[in-house]
């Protein structure tokens, strides 16, 4: 391997990925930020012959799960059972190669988390504090931050949560909210004293400054190092490790009824409990041996938990290793907007797998090539289509298919023997030999986009070689040299079948099957004799197929429908105007009229011309022009209907028609204008007051 982190040779690797909340499915933001890069890294280590475990599981505790259960009228266990299965199956189908995918609601985890807490408690590693927290007197319980809503003091959003305003992104304390109310009963909560246990992070500042700011300067990613430095420089504060809640790991102390371990405390312990499930009595060497490298793959919202809080817990326990690296990514946006589970603004993995069967690697490729490694990035369906059609199909798939088709055409599927090499072959082989190290170096330094690009550069090298040698022409003039060309082209295909495996496992397996290859170690790549002359290969199948515009448009339309629905859901009535005197209202003459005629105003798409019986009979109709044509495309159907109108407005001319008043309409939350009508027929000319 190419050891880049202080040239430390490790005996084994513990690779973890952030535990997704089991209150909803997995979306592409999770995949791009955490699971695809973690899987690439773990697969690569295995191909290098390293001893590695890849740990994953569902985070099944915490307030978001209890909120969803309350909304759906079921138990938290019902929620986590449903989504754990969806998430686990989706990961499996995408090829995320966990050695174990468990869950924090299992007995092994509850026991491990309880024992961890108890050891720290018995050794005096916690401090007890009594604080005031919001309490719902109607529901008879303390309120977690997410159970409190109110007005954000920063932007005025009236639907901010007690821990964060999703409108402006500001982190909040529940006591910061203006006009707080309980999400359980809707009542105003009161402050009430409660006791909790805290991890005194302020006591960890000195060693953490040395460990992170001095020890990992230069080898941790800039965004990770910067966020840690900001927290440490601001001064670390004690952090509560327990909560007043009835769902989670119970606090194993007398007098702690109704309290559970805070989810941020119990969830990372899941990595340890899952390792116990996987490795049994041998689990400790994966967490307590200095020759084990611990790597956490997370999103940027988890940096503090995995770089400061969880290490402080491990250090307090005393026998655990600390993470060697935490290669956190930034966020992936969707079509220019922040991914939001609450607004359903996401591409859900289980839906993608259903809509695009057999195209797991297309999603893996797109998310890796567009990974938010250094800054937030954006996923668009058009780019997804372009990545597939212009790169996977046109470059990688095209090269492999051309090579195999020509081999069957010229040699009946038998690998021809290479003859004398020209300078072009020697240069191509020399360049091919550099790819395993180039790709490996990028993977080991967590630059997965760069690694993927290098893999595709090998496919580009193959295409370039075929284009320059033109074996379809050369076969006519120099059949012996054509054998050399096709042999080398097949060797490049074989190298691709090895080097693509961490990124595109399904396509790599397909290439290996078509080439009749056995599985190879990473160290075997880069050679020009992977396929032996005289060996038979199988028939070529298309690795990738073009994705048509109609498939992409269907996804775009789905998102547009979601956006429109979100706008409707976010609608709030306009603020009530300033009070007016009754006499002022009395000046407006509002009456009822019957529609006699209704036609479109020529050369005015928005206008309808009404002729009304306002009480003076059909022989003396009132004319009013109204801008509601968009909402009433068949105006003739309005004849006979009664409407409300203002009778004492000054007449004015609109497109050459004198309008004598204004017909009243209501604007719905989707922008539609709807005529205001009496609930029963009344005599035309009746006053409204």
């Amino acid at each position: 391997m190419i050891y880049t982190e202080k040239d430390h040779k490790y005996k084994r690797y513990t690779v973890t990925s952030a535990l997704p909340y089991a209150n909803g499915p997995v979306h592409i933001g999770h995949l791009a930020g955490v699971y695809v890069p973690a899987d690439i890294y773990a697969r690569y280590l295995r191909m290098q012959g390293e001893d590695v475990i890849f740990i994953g599981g569902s985070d099944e505790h915490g307030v978001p799960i209890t909120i969803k259960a309350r909304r759906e009228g079921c138990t938290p266990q019902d929620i986590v059972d449903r989504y754990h299965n969806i998430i686990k199956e989706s990961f499996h189908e995408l090829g995320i190669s966990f050695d174990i995918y468990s869950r924090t609601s299992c007995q092994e985890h509850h026991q491990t988390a309880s024992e961890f807490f108890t050891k720290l408690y018995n050794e005096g590693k916690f401090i007890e504090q009594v604080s005031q927290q919001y309490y719902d007197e109607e529901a008879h319980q303390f309120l977690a931050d997410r159970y409190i809503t109110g007005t954000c003091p920063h932007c005025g959003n009236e639907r901010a949560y007690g821990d964060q305003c999703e409108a402006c992104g500001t982190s909040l304390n529940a006591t910061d909210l203006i006009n707080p109310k309980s999400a359980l009963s809707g009542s105003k909560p009161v402050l009430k004293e409660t006791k909790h246990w805290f991890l005194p992070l302020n006591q960890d500042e000195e060693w953490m400054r040395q460990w992170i700011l001095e020890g990992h300067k230069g080898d941790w990613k800039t965004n990770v190092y910067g966020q840690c430095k900001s927290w440490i420089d601001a001064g670390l504060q004690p952090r509560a490790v327990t909560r007043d809640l009835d769902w989670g790991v119970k606090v194993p102390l007398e007098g702690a009824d109704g309290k559970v371990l805070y989810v941020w405390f119990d969830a990372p312990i899941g990595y340890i409990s899952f390792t116990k499930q996987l490795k049994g009595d041998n689990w400790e060497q994966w967490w307590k041996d200095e020759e084990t490298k611990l790597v956490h793959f997370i999103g940027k919202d988890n940096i503090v938990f995995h770089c400061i809080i969880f290490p402080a817990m491990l250090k307090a326990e005393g026998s655990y290793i600390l993470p060697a690296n935490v290669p956190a990514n930034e966020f992936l946006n969707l079509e220019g907007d922040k991914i939001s589970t609450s607004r359903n603004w996401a591409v859900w993995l289980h839906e993608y797998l259903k809509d695009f069967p057999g195209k797991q690697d297309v999603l893996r490729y797109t998310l890796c090539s567009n990974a938010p490694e250094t800054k937030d990035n954006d996923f668009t369906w058009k780019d997804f289509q372009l990545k597939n059609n212009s790169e996977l199909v046109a470059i990688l798939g095209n090269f492999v298919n051309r090579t195999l088709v020509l081999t069957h055409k010229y040699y009946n599927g038998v690998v021809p023997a290479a003859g004398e090499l020209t300078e072009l072959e020697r240069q191509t082989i020399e360049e091919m030999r550099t790819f395993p190290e180039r790709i490996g170096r990028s993977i080991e330094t967590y630059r997965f986009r760069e690694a993927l690009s290098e893999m595709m550069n090998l496919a580009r090298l193959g295409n370039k070689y075929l284009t320059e040698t033109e074996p379809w022409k050369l076969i006519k003039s120099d059949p012996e040299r054509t054998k050399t060309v096709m042999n080398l082209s097949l060797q490049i295909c074989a190298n691709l079948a090895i080097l693509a495996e961490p990124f595109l496992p399904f396509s790599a397996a397909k290439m290996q099957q078509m080439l009749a290859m056995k599985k190879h170690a990473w160290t075997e790549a880069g050679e020009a004799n992977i396929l032996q002359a005289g060996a038979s290969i199988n028939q070529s199948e298309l690795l990738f197929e073009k994705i048509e515009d109609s498939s992409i448009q269907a996804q775009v339309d789905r998102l547009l429908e979601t956006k429109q629905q979100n706008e409707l859901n976010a609608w709030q009535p306009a603020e009530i105007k300033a009070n007016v005197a009754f006499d002022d209202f009395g000046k407006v003459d509002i009456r009822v009229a019957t529609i006699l005629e209704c036609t479109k105003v020529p050369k005015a798409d928005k206008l309808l011309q009404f002729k009304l019986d306002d009480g003076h009979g059909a022989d003396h109709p009132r004319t009013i022009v109204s801008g509601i044509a968009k909402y009433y495309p068949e105006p003739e159907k309005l004849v006979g209907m009664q409407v409300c109108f203002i009778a004492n407005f000054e007449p004015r001319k609109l497109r050459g028609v004198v309008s004598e008043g204004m017909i009243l309409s209501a604007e719905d939350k989707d922008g539609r204008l709807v005529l205001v009508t009496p609930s029963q027929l009344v005599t035309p000319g009746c006053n409204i007051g």
Side-chain angles (χ1 to χ4, degrees):
M1 292 178 67
I2 309 95
Y3 298 99
T4 54
E5 290 179 353
K6 301 181 178 178
D7 294 325
H8 190 158
K9 170 62 176 174
Y10 293 93
K11 281 188 176 180
R12 67 193 67 81
Y13 292 76
T14 300
V15 180
T16 74
S17 59
L19 309 184
Y21 266 134
N23 70 330
V26 171
H27 58 62
I28 58 170
H30 300 131
L31 298 172
V34 177
Y35 304 105
V36 170
D39 186 62
I40 293 170
Y41 186 70
R43 285 176 177 274
Y44 166 76
L45 291 176
R46 295 189 192 107
M47 293 183 72
Q48 282 279 13
E50 298 294 343
D51 201 2
V52 55
I53 57 172
F54 181 19
I55 304 296
S58 298
D59 183 355
E60 300 186 338
H61 300 141
V63 174
I65 288 163
T66 61
I67 289 177
K68 193 173 189 75
R70 184 177 290 271
R71 286 175 179 167
E72 296 190 12
C74 61
T75 68
Q77 192 66 52
D78 292 332
I79 295 294
V80 299
D81 285 347
R82 181 198 316 165
Y83 288 111
H84 170 75
N85 292 328
I86 291 174
I87 293 168
K88 184 177 182 179
E89 180 58 34
S90 297
F91 277 145
H92 175 73
E93 193 171 342
L94 190 67
I96 305 300
S97 57
F98 293 115
D99 290 292
I100 184 172
Y101 189 83
S102 191
R103 53 197 307 188
T104 60
S105 66
C106 70
Q107 182 58 38
E108 180 86 54
H109 174 70
H110 277 243
Q111 181 179 340
T112 301
S114 294
E115 290 172 352
F116 197 104
F117 175 90
T118 300
K119 186 173 189 294
L120 268 58
Y121 176 82
N122 289 338
E123 294 178 357
K125 298 297 176 66
F126 296 130
I127 57 176
E128 294 181 10
Q129 288 186 5
V130 175
S131 61
Q132 288 196 325
Q133 294 185 12
Y134 277 125
Y135 183 84
D136 187 325
E137 293 182 307
E138 291 186 24
H140 304 292
Q141 71 177 70
F142 283 97
L143 297 172
D145 295 338
R146 279 269 154 170
Y147 276 136
I148 306 166
T149 60
T151 301
C152 174
H154 301 281
C155 71
N157 171 33
E158 296 181 354
R159 299 181 181 180
Y161 292 106
D163 59 350
Q164 185 183 41
C165 174
E166 293 189 346
C168 66
T170 304
S171 294
L172 300 170
N173 292 315
T175 51
D176 296 333
L177 293 175
I178 301 169
N179 298 322
K181 66 178 181 179
S182 167
L184 299 181
S185 65
S187 64
K188 183 177 180 178
V190 298
L191 288 171
K192 186 176 179 179
E193 286 189 346
T194 182
K195 180 175 72 173
H196 284 291
W197 290 266
F198 288 72
L199 190 65
L201 294 178
N202 52 302
Q203 298 176 14
D204 296 303
E205 269 193 38
E206 184 176 347
W207 74 262
M208 201 161 279
R209 183 178 294 276
Q210 183 177 11
W211 173 59
I212 297 178
L213 302 189
E214 297 178 21
H216 286 294
K217 186 175 184 179
D219 65 340
W220 280 14
K221 293 175 68 171
T222 303
N223 61 328
V224 176
Y225 184 86
Q227 194 173 136
C228 291
K229 187 176 188 304
S230 176
W231 264 67
I232 294 171
D233 287 347
L236 299 181
Q237 302 298 320
R239 189 90 175 187
V241 301
T242 58
R243 297 291 268 174
D244 291 296
L245 203 62
D246 58 1
W247 173 250
V249 179
K250 306 300 182 186
V251 175
L253 299 175
E254 289 188 17
D257 295 342
K259 297 183 189 294
V260 298
L261 300 185
Y262 206 164
V263 67
W264 68 256
F265 182 87
D266 100 77
I269 296 174
Y271 303 139
I272 300 169
S273 63
F274 303 162
T275 304
K276 287 183 177 182
Q277 288 180 283
L278 178 66
K279 291 295 183 180
D281 293 340
N282 295 323
W283 73 271
E284 288 193 348
Q285 65 179 337
W286 299 93
W287 283 94
K288 298 186 177 184
D289 188 338
E290 290 293 339
E291 293 187 299
T292 298
K293 181 176 181 179
L294 174 61
V295 181
H296 297 308
F297 282 86
I298 58 169
K300 69 177 178 182
D301 53 337
N302 270 323
I303 288 175
V304 169
F305 297 108
H306 286 75
C307 295
I308 293 180
I309 299 175
F310 189 40
M313 293 163 54
L314 298 175
K315 184 82 168 177
E317 198 279 343
S319 64
Y320 285 84
I321 59 173
L322 300 181
N325 213 310
V326 186
N329 277 343
E330 300 293 294
F331 288 153
L332 185 72
N333 296 323
L334 172 59
E335 299 284 355
D337 194 3
K338 181 180 177 181
I339 290 177
S340 170
T341 57
S342 62
R343 294 186 293 119
N344 195 31
W345 187 255
V347 175
W348 305 103
L349 175 56
H350 69 295
E351 292 182 350
Y352 171 88
L353 294 168
K354 185 184 299 182
D355 293 343
F356 293 94
K359 290 183 171 55
Q360 298 97 320
D361 281 348
V362 181
L363 184 61
R364 290 175 65 110
Y365 180 85
T366 303
L367 295 179
C368 183
S369 64
N370 208 25
E373 292 179 350
T374 56
K375 61 182 179 61
D376 289 358
N377 226 332
D378 196 37
F379 175 95
T380 70
W381 279 110
K382 284 295 183 184
D383 181 65
F384 168 83
Q385 182 186 29
L386 186 67
K387 289 282 195 299
N388 179 80
N389 294 356
S390 299
E391 296 180 23
L392 290 176
V393 172
I395 298 173
L396 178 56
N398 179 54
F399 169 65
V400 173
N401 185 64
R402 285 200 296 172
T403 299
L404 269 66
V405 166
L406 291 176
T407 301
H408 277 279
K409 181 177 181 181
Y410 300 153
Y411 312 112
N412 295 318
V414 175
V415 178
E420 184 177 349
L421 303 181
T422 68
E423 182 62 24
L424 177 60
E425 273 79 54
R426 285 192 287 271
Q427 289 177 356
T428 302
I429 291 172
E430 188 62 31
E431 185 172 357
M432 181 178 69
R433 284 178 174 151
T434 67
F435 279 97
E437 182 177 357
R438 285 155 61 179
I439 297 169
R441 183 186 303 112
S442 297
I443 291 176
E444 290 182 24
T445 51
Y446 316 105
R447 301 196 304 270
F448 301 103
R449 283 190 321 200
E450 181 180 272
L452 180 66
S453 179
E454 289 289 3
M455 187 276 291
M456 288 298 289
N457 283 338
L458 178 56
R460 291 184 175 92
L461 176 67
N463 273 317
K464 179 174 178 287
Y465 177 66
L466 273 185
T467 300
E468 290 183 7
T469 55
E470 297 182 307
W472 48 89
K473 293 182 180 179
L474 190 63
I475 189 71
K476 299 174 183 177
S477 59
D478 194 343
E480 284 303 310
R481 170 152 166 71
T482 304
K483 293 178 182 178
T484 302
V485 170
M486 294 310 303
N487 180 284
L488 181 51
S489 297
L490 285 166
Q491 303 300 341
I492 295 174
C493 288
N495 274 272
L496 283 167
I498 299 171
L499 300 179
E501 188 171 330
F503 312 97
L504 311 173
F506 300 94
S507 304
K510 198 171 182 179
M511 282 190 275
Q512 291 166 14
Q513 185 275 329
M514 289 190 295
L515 293 168
M517 290 172 57
K518 65 178 181 65
K519 287 185 73 69
H520 285 69
W522 191 269
T523 52
E524 297 178 81
E527 298 303 320
N529 59 355
I530 295 174
L531 299 178
Q532 298 300 310
S536 295
I537 63 172
N538 296 314
Q539 288 292 331
S540 176
E541 299 177 38
L542 290 179
L543 283 177
F544 309 98
E545 59 184 9
K546 283 193 173 182
I547 295 176
E548 301 299 332
D549 291 345
S550 57
S551 297
I552 297 302
Q553 192 58 50
Q555 299 298 325
V556 173
D557 290 344
R558 178 188 290 178
L559 287 176
L560 289 175
E561 290 175 8
T562 297
K563 179 170 284 189
Q564 292 169 359
Q565 188 60 50
N566 286 335
E567 291 172 353
L568 292 178
N569 293 341
W571 179 87
Q572 290 183 330
E575 289 188 17
I576 296 176
K577 297 177 182 178
N579 291 343
V580 297
F582 182 81
D583 290 344
D584 291 334
F585 171 76
K587 296 176 183 178
V588 181
D589 192 345
I590 306 175
R591 302 195 179 201
V592 176
T594 301
I595 300 173
L596 300 172
E597 295 180 21
C598 186
T599 58
K600 292 182 179 180
V601 176
K603 299 181 180 180
D605 294 338
K606 297 180 180 179
L607 301 181
L608 293 181
Q609 178 177 330
F610 290 83
K611 289 190 178 298
L612 306 175
D613 177 0
D614 62 358
H616 293 90
D619 294 336
H620 299 87
R622 176 186 290 260
T623 299
I624 294 181
V625 176
S626 180
I628 60 173
K630 175 182 177 180
Y631 307 101
Y632 292 95
E634 299 178 287
E636 64 277 3
K637 292 186 177 181
L638 298 177
V639 173
M641 179 176 167
Q642 290 198 316
V643 293
C644 302
F645 73 100
I646 297 176
N648 61 337
F649 274 180
E650 289 283 346
R652 61 175 182 153
K653 187 176 289 188
L654 297 171
R655 290 297 179 101
V657 180
V658 176
S659 181
E660 305 169 292
M662 183 178 77
I663 292 178
L664 300 182
S665 60
E667 183 177 359
D668 202 358
K669 64 180 181 179
D670 60 0
R672 289 181 302 117
L673 295 178
V674 181
L675 291 171
V676 177
T677 65
S679 60
Q680 298 179 14
L681 289 176
V682 296
T683 304
C686 286
N687 287 92
I688 295 175

